[in-house]
Amino acid sequence: MPECWTVRVDRDACLGSGICAGTAPEHFRLEDGRSRPVEERVPPDDRVVDAADLCPAEAITVSDAAGRRLAP
Amino acid sequence: MDVRSYPFGPAYRLEIDPRYFWLQDNEPLARVKLPYGDEAWLLTRYDDNRLALGDPRFSLAEAAVRDTPRLQPERVGAILTDQDPPEHTRLRRLVAKAFTVRRVAALQERAAQIAGELVDRMVAAGPPVDLVDSFAVPLPGLMVCELVGVPYEDRDGFQDWVGAFMTVTALTVQERYAQIGKLAAYIAGLAARRRVSPTDDLLGALVLASEEGDRLTEDEVVQLTLVLLAAGYESTASQLTNFTYALLTHPDQLALLRDRPGLMPGAVEELMRWTPLLVYADTLPRYTLAEVEFSGGTVPAGEPVLLAKHAANRDPRRYPDPDRLDLTRDAQGQLGFGHGPHHCVGAPLARMDLQIGLGTLLDRFPDLRLAVPEDEIEWKSGMAVRGPVALPLAW
């Protein structure tokens, strides 16, 4: 079974800067001014790690299939 | 459609030219011509500005190679702002690691300490004191030294060099470039030291990234640091002064904030929304990569859009009663730091400087007031940022 990463956005921490949706629109969408992952389970993709590193509020977390945190 | 000459006229204090609001209502997609470069579309509505800032159909990399609308004959390029994702993402990602809320929060104690020391000196000097020279410029300057990792003994010289980035200086163009050259050489020296002995500061993080094979060249490390300094120094200093002026000229809001200091984070967001920092629209026009539909019509591919963020922040469609400074308002989504991939990378640091700066002033000076009548305050007359040249205060 292919490995899946988990992407979460803490909507309380999210500042609505739009950096994630602007840089990785296939993974993040702004809803009511705050970010939401398009899918919470994704195949491994550098772009979600990038987005988590880019988030000025550290509102995005990415974990691997074993639950270990990959980013930020 | 008429082509209007832009800018419309000089900026006056913190007021916004009513023509922006006429356009916001009647011509949300307006045609303008700046002194140099292509004709452009001026966007004044909040939704349109947010779209242009966040949507991948808008390009800064394209603007770097076109006859971009501008105020000066020369176009000055810069790292980060000449790029789109994914090239931009690569650099931005490395810088963003240093500018997270968490790293900035670790500097909070130092910020409070520095603010306190600056106020001690103001108290010792006795009123009247110029806020700009004694507080609003040094606080962000010293905090940037903390963040970058400038040794204590070098901080005075460092701040002088960074001062060359300020728009109001007595320096000639040559002197300015000479100062920037010295600063670049100094930063390169600090970076070199960190290759040998890594440190946990911004420069250390940037150097480390280049060591881990993420391809940040030595030159990129220096250029990134320079861009961060240029972008974050005068802007924060001006806003600290502008916000103090706004509070002192809105006594009901000042009283509210004194009464409820817990309002400070939201108050700073509202002040960011309400206060126009830039003299005109955003200095970085975007070029469309595809046709885009806006409130007022469709813009074809390959054309520049100018973003009047200050007017967008006062759009009643987004913020009811927008011209009212209301520190209890939820100003979330305000465009003062931008939006999208190029959202101000230093925003967490700026927010902290502003919150702690204002908080310290209000706390230490219970009777803070302007030392001169409002109309005696001299305002900057350059074409970049707004703010008082000096703000004499008494207490």
Side-chain angles (χ1 to χ4, degrees):
Chain A
M1 180 165 142
E3 189 188 332
C4 246
W5 286 356
T6 304
V7 182
R8 294 238 160 78
V9 175
D10 177 347
R11 279 174 67 84
D12 287 326
C14 174
L15 297 167
S17 76
I19 295 176
C20 54
T23 344
E26 71 278 21
H27 288 298
F28 299 92
R29 204 165 280 155
L30 291 181
E31 230 177 68
D32 295 326
R34 296 196 148 98
S35 175
R36 206 181 268 295
V38 171
E39 292 288 338
E40 281 211 341
R41 302 207 110 72
V42 297
D45 186 349
D46 273 349
R47 287 157 70 70
V48 298
V49 168
D50 279 352
D53 283 339
L54 281 171
C55 174
E58 288 193 332
I60 302 173
T61 46
V62 183
S63 329
D64 67 13
R68 277 177 306 238
R69 188 149 108 165
L70 296 169
Chain B
M1 174 178 278
D2 283 344
V3 180
R4 294 159 203 280
S5 166
Y6 190 81
F8 302 135
Y12 180 66
R13 299 188 190 173
L14 298 179
E15 289 170 26
I16 299 176
D17 192 310
R19 275 171 280 202
Y20 288 102
F21 299 115
W22 187 91
L23 291 174
Q24 201 177 66
D25 284 342
N26 299 291
E27 230 173 82
L29 185 66
R31 194 83 176 145
V32 296
K33 174 76 178 77
L34 274 67
Y36 301 93
D38 291 335
E39 268 182 28
W41 300 99
L42 182 70
L43 301 176
T44 44
R45 288 205 185 161
Y46 179 87
D47 285 347
D48 293 334
N49 271 261
R50 206 169 155 95
L51 178 71
L53 289 165
D55 191 291
R57 288 171 296 171
F58 296 86
S59 172
L60 284 178
E62 185 62 17
V65 299
R66 297 283 301 269
D67 192 13
T68 197
R70 58 198 187 277
L71 299 173
Q72 317 275 24
E74 296 306 319
R75 200 194 163 272
V76 180
I79 203 170
L80 284 178
T81 51
D82 274 352
Q83 292 149 313
D84 297 334
E87 294 76 27
H88 170 263
T89 315
R90 178 193 148 246
L91 292 169
R92 175 78 191 224
R93 184 186 168 192
L94 294 160
V95 174
K97 286 185 142 131
F99 265 111
T100 57
V101 171
R102 190 165 32 115
R103 186 189 280 273
V104 167
L107 293 171
Q108 208 161 0
E109 245 182 73
R110 269 307 279 150
Q113 212 170 14
I114 290 171
E117 283 164 12
L118 291 170
V119 165
D120 291 340
R121 276 183 239 169
M122 287 170 74
V123 170
V129 165
D130 171 22
L131 184 77
V132 174
D133 258 353
S134 62
F135 191 81
V137 166
L139 177 59
L142 290 166
M143 285 313 298
V144 119
C145 287
E146 289 284 329
L147 186 81
V148 168
V150 176
Y152 286 100
E153 59 272 18
D154 295 343
R155 286 184 183 195
D156 284 342
F158 185 82
Q159 283 189 88
D160 285 342
W161 295 328
V162 184
F165 284 124
M166 308 265 286
T167 57
V168 178
T169 80
L171 302 179
T172 63
V173 174
Q174 282 92 333
E175 282 169 338
R176 189 189 289 252
Y177 276 110
Q179 292 288 66
I180 291 169
K182 285 185 204 162
L183 186 55
Y186 176 76
I187 292 167
L190 288 185
R193 264 184 262 165
R194 276 151 179 77
R195 268 178 212 108
V196 176
S197 321
T199 51
D200 185 31
D201 47 44
L202 168 62
L203 210 41
L206 290 175
V207 164
L208 201 65
S210 71
E211 296 285 278
E212 280 175 345
D214 206 350
R215 300 185 323 272
L216 254 196
T217 66
E218 284 173 32
D219 187 55
E220 280 172 338
V221 169
V222 173
Q223 292 306 316
L224 280 172
T225 309
L226 284 175
V227 154
L228 296 176
L229 292 172
Y233 192 40
E234 186 175 11
S235 47
T236 310
S238 296
Q239 289 294 56
L240 196 42
T241 314
N242 288 333
F243 292 2
T244 308
Y245 168 82
L247 289 174
L248 294 177
T249 52
H250 289 79
D252 59 323
Q253 296 300 308
L254 176 61
L256 184 62
L257 193 51
R258 282 195 183 285
D259 201 41
R260 296 163 61 185
L263 284 177
M264 184 61 81
V268 164
E269 287 312 290
E270 168 65 349
L271 285 159
M272 285 291 306
R273 179 196 73 82
W274 184 86
T275 311
L277 170 66
L278 301 179
V279 176
Y280 306 116
D282 187 293
T283 49
L284 299 172
R286 272 79 170 158
Y287 274 73
T288 51
L289 297 175
E291 190 177 86
V292 183
E293 212 177 296
F294 290 110
S295 303
T298 308
V299 171
E303 299 207 3
V305 297
L306 273 182
L307 307 175
K309 292 179 316 201
H310 57 338
N313 269 344
R314 302 277 195 101
D315 186 342
R317 296 160 192 81
R318 173 66 183 85
Y319 299 107
D321 199 9
D323 295 330
R324 176 165 153 66
L325 177 66
D326 173 8
L327 302 183
T328 65
R329 181 200 295 273
D330 179 8
Q332 191 265 342
Q334 57 84 13
L335 298 176
F337 288 120
H339 177 73
H342 300 276
H343 179 281
C344 175
V345 87
L349 179 64
R351 283 191 169 102
M352 185 178 75
D353 285 352
L354 292 164
Q355 290 174 21
I356 289 184
L358 288 178
T360 307
L361 287 174
L362 295 188
D363 183 54
R364 295 286 302 272
F365 297 118
D367 196 24
L368 192 67
R369 57 188 181 279
L370 291 176
V372 298
E374 253 186 86
D375 47 296
E376 272 176 36
I377 294 167
E378 191 196 337
W379 290 79
K380 298 193 226 206
S381 58
M383 293 197 286
V385 302
R386 304 186 192 214
V389 172
L391 194 70
L393 298 181
W395 53 88

